[in-house]
Amino acid sequence: MPVILNQPWTLLADKTEDYAWFPEAASTFAAENDWLYGVITIVCVIFFIPIAFSLFYFAVRYRKPKGGKAESNTAHNTPLELAWSIGPSFFLVGMFILGAKAYLNHRTVPDGARDIKVQSSSWNWSFDYGGGTVHPELHIVVEEPTKLSMRSTDVIHSLFVPAFRAKKDIVPGRYNYMWFEPTVASRKVSDEELAAAKKKMKDLGEENWNFDELDFTPDGYTYYDLYCTEYCGLNHSEMQTVVVVHETQEDLDAWIKKYSMRGENEDPADYGRKLYSRRGCSGCHSLDGSKRVGPSFQEVFGNKRPLTDGDVVVADENYVRESILYPKAKVSAGYQPVMPSYKGQLTEDDIHSLVEFLKEVSEYSPAEVVAGDPESSNEEKPAEGKNATDTEAK
Ligand code: HEC
Ligand SMILES: [Cu+2]
């Protein structure tokens, strides 16, 4: 028998979470924040109802018929005025004190908090765990205070983890920080469940992991949402990632190690593909030829690229390297110079892997200059011809 007939309340129980006042509470801030929010809401309602009611009541009660003569005003009622000024101010001062205490708690990082460097850019998050490990997911340890040292490379972003009740703006040109202490660890899903999900993603041909559909990460951990809550341009709503809370420091260290660098026998192009999604290139560069904020990688390597200053260059290894380290040195025609520099953030091996990956995904079309250069000649062969055979061989 379907559950709904057998035990209808279980259906409701499953749903209550969806309609709850607040998202799940998973940090030391949550209880106090929610309580204070509740108190302030109740105070507001207590005042709002009698005020709104009196407004309508008096409007009706003292209505005069058309053409009636207006009565003279009563100018003062001192006891009444004192009562309605002093009475509510107690509530206001009380709310201020409670709010200020909570705010100071949010701003006072406890000693010994683990420091993670956060870089935000339109529309990516990257978390630096030290030792060259950078990843778009935030991974921390349960019951350990964590500090985020945050900066933005372009516009104002704001980091928000609803389950932690923690949120802070990130302003370009200065560091900002926040902290929190998670109280509920992520769960690890079974290997079978993870394998099934991986297969499904592969069958669907998903380029990236589909977080809307799956409530765990590609490493099999359940997660909390983290997103940008400051409108920061076109794809602002997609500037989201996840927080995974590890049970132990050892578990986190193992995870960090897994992402620290290219595996010993790992093919550079395969690793480049990982960096492509891990380091945020995928937010601006597609692989299927469609134009995002930047040109599709399908059309880059080996092709003639028109620049905004009218020059045309062939996208060889050095050009790609320069584009990654000094994106503003040569700007592709038809695009804004908004790519962040990855100088100091990618190792030479990372760049090499990205170059190999670009070679793999690029479609070589010697006949045309992709963004349309009026003087493009159809005969001239680009210097980097190797890629042509690469692509044809497939
Ligand atoms: C915020 C969006 C953004 C991100 C993130 C980004 N790029 Fe770009 N990229 C652009 C834009 C826009 C251009 C074109 C303008 C220019 O040349 O600077 C570009 C240009 C390039 C070019 C030159 C392409 C051409 O037309 O010849 C390469 C190569 C490149 N990016 C590689 C990367 C790699 C590798 C990453 C990740 C490590 C990355 N980009 C991340 C926006 C981005
Ligand atoms: Cu943002």
Side-chain angles (χ1 to χ4, degrees):
M1 199 194 291
V3 185
I4 185 161
L5 297 179
N6 199 0
Q7 295 171 309
W9 59 88
T10 52
L11 198 77
L12 212 86
D14 281 352
K15 283 284 161 226
T16 45
E17 214 172 62
D18 294 352
Y19 300 110
W21 191 247
F22 288 116
E24 60 198 314
S27 85
T28 52
F29 293 148
E32 190 188 11
N33 264 44
D34 295 358
W35 176 83
L36 188 54
Y37 191 97
V39 168
I40 293 177
T41 307
I42 289 169
V43 170
C44 293
V45 170
I46 287 175
F47 277 85
F48 174 75
I49 291 176
I51 290 173
F53 179 81
S54 320
L55 183 79
F56 284 105
Y57 174 75
F58 290 137
V60 174
R61 170 75 181 69
Y62 295 106
R63 204 163 56 98
K64 284 272 144 63
K66 231 184 179 156
K69 212 165 179 272
E71 281 174 35
S72 68
N73 280 344
T74 310
H76 265 308
N77 184 328
T78 310
L80 195 61
E81 281 168 22
L82 285 177
W84 77 39
S85 304
I86 296 172
S89 62
F90 280 107
F91 282 103
L92 288 178
V93 171
M95 287 191 278
F96 171 77
I97 292 173
L98 292 171
K101 268 173 81 175
Y103 175 77
L104 289 175
N105 186 18
H106 277 253
R107 294 307 288 158
T108 315
V109 184
D111 285 342
R114 185 195 177 97
D115 196 340
I116 296 175
K117 310 248 169 335
V118 182
Q119 189 186 306
S120 58
S121 57
S122 305
W123 297 279
N124 287 298
W125 297 105
S126 64
F127 299 94
D128 186 342
Y129 298 91
T133 307
V134 179
H135 200 277
E137 294 171 7
L138 176 59
H139 284 243
I140 54 183
V141 180
V142 71
E143 278 157 19
E144 291 279 347
T146 301
K147 176 185 178 189
L148 303 181
S149 302
M150 311 185 290
R151 66 197 184 96
S152 164
T153 52
D154 39 42
V155 295
I156 302 181
H157 300 284
S158 183
L159 191 153
F160 183 30
V161 185
F164 294 171
R165 313 290 190 270
K167 164 165 146 177
K168 194 78 210 166
D169 280 11
I170 312 170
V171 182
R174 59 176 291 184
Y175 284 91
N176 212 343
Y177 67 90
M178 67 193 292
W179 80 279
F180 39 73
E181 182 179 327
T183 49
V184 186
S186 299
R187 199 166 46 78
K188 206 155 185 199
V189 302
S190 70
D191 290 347
E192 295 84 63
E193 205 176 336
L194 185 59
K198 284 203 161 141
K199 186 170 175 302
K200 192 168 158 204
M201 288 293 118
K202 216 171 172 181
D203 292 348
L204 286 174
E206 297 272 350
E207 198 179 287
N208 293 315
W209 193 255
N210 188 340
F211 282 101
D212 289 337
E213 202 160 300
L214 298 162
D215 53 8
F216 49 88
T217 70
D219 296 310
Y221 295 100
T222 62
Y223 60 79
Y224 301 106
D225 293 319
L226 182 160
Y227 46 85
C228 176
T229 173
E230 180 80 43
Y231 180 70
C232 57
L234 197 63
N235 294 341
H236 156 71
S237 64
E238 284 165 31
M239 188 167 166
Q240 22 177 304
T241 179
V242 297
V243 186
V244 172
V245 180
H246 292 259
E247 293 273 6
T248 60
Q249 184 67 46
E250 291 72 51
D251 199 48
L252 172 62
D253 289 344
W255 180 85
I256 291 177
K257 187 144 183 279
K258 183 171 158 193
Y259 287 99
S260 58
M261 57 183 101
R262 183 157 68 90
E264 229 161 87
N265 298 315
E266 190 169 13
D267 179 53
D270 290 346
Y271 187 61
R273 181 179 291 274
K274 288 186 190 161
L275 289 175
Y276 165 74
S277 50
R278 223 179 269 167
R279 302 309 296 269
C281 321
S282 55
C284 298
H285 297 283
S286 78
L287 299 180
D288 60 5
S290 62
K291 189 172 161 172
R292 291 185 189 159
V293 181
S296 171
F297 280 166
Q298 196 183 69
E299 65 190 39
V300 174
F301 199 90
N303 289 310
K304 286 200 245 166
R305 309 292 302 157
L307 304 178
T308 38
D309 63 8
D311 273 0
V312 177
V313 288
V314 173
D316 59 6
E317 283 92 342
N318 276 322
Y319 172 75
V320 171
R321 183 170 184 280
E322 183 184 58
S323 297
I324 296 173
L325 297 178
Y326 309 100
K328 290 185 178 60
K330 297 197 178 84
V331 176
S332 288
Y335 296 94
Q336 298 298 314
V338 292
M339 176 165 159
S341 165
Y342 285 84
K343 192 167 186 294
Q345 300 188 43
L346 292 171
T347 63
E348 284 300 327
D349 186 69
D350 291 345
I351 293 170
H352 168 66
S353 303
L354 280 166
V355 169
E356 294 303 309
F357 170 62
L358 253 74
K359 284 185 190 169
E360 197 179 275
V361 295
S362 175
E363 266 166 31
Y364 178 68
S365 48
E368 52 180 312
V369 173
V370 178
D373 176 69
E375 282 167 24
S376 75
S377 104
N378 285 354
E379 277 99 53
E380 215 179 292
K381 275 210 150 213
E384 181 58 43
K386 173 181 168 289
N387 196 55
T389 41
D390 275 354
T391 326
E392 276 156 20
K394 284 201 190 111

